[in-house]
Amino acid sequence: MRRARSPQLLAGLLAGAGVAHLLVPKPFDSMVPRVLPGAPRTWTYASAAVELALAAGVALPRTRERSATAAAAFFVAVLPGNVQMAVDWRDRPAPLRRAALARLPLQVPLVLWARKVARDAR
């Protein structure tokens, strides 16, 4: 039963993140690495679009394998943003610092989860 729900849960996580990027973009803007060209808001909205597209792809059995593989790559690609957040938040109060640091190792289970969803879709 859990395996059957896993793709829907992953799709929900991606969709929720995409909607959050659209509705409350400011915190995400600050995570955009400064080395990227252009306005941070552009990257925030682009990330939202990718997350929503991946969510749709993971939700559909026909596109699940490719979309989940792409989601795993996306989770790796956004790691520099999480690193940027951890660096920028090093002077914040301890609970916020811990939250920023906790995001870093959480990328690993997200990547593994997306890869498992892709494998199970074969």
Side-chain angles (χ1 to χ4, degrees):
M1 180 65 133
R2 195 158 108 181
R3 180 181 282 186
R5 287 191 317 218
S6 187
Q8 287 73 33
L9 293 172
L10 179 59
L13 175 100
L14 287 161
V19 169
H21 280 74
L22 294 173
L23 294 180
V24 190
K26 190 173 180 179
F28 298 102
D29 293 347
S30 67
M31 293 173 61
V32 175
R34 289 179 280 283
V35 299
L36 292 176
R41 182 65 48 93
T42 302
W43 289 99
T44 296
Y45 287 155
S47 179
V50 170
E51 287 164 331
L52 292 170
L54 289 171
V58 169
L60 299 170
R62 194 184 83 211
T63 56
R64 183 168 296 147
E65 181 181 358
R66 277 196 186 148
S67 297
T69 299
F74 178 78
F75 291 141
V76 171
V78 299
L79 181 61
N82 292 337
V83 171
Q84 184 73 56
M85 180 182 182
V87 168
D88 290 346
W89 286 26
R90 66 183 176 268
D91 296 326
R92 300 252 177 126
L96 293 176
R97 269 195 328 268
R98 284 193 294 274
L101 289 171
R103 290 178 63 109
L104 298 175
L106 286 176
Q107 293 302 114
V108 172
L110 289 174
V111 170
L112 295 175
W113 182 17
R115 289 185 62 199
K116 177 147 180 38
V117 168
R119 274 194 313 274
D120 290 348
R122 287 189 193 123

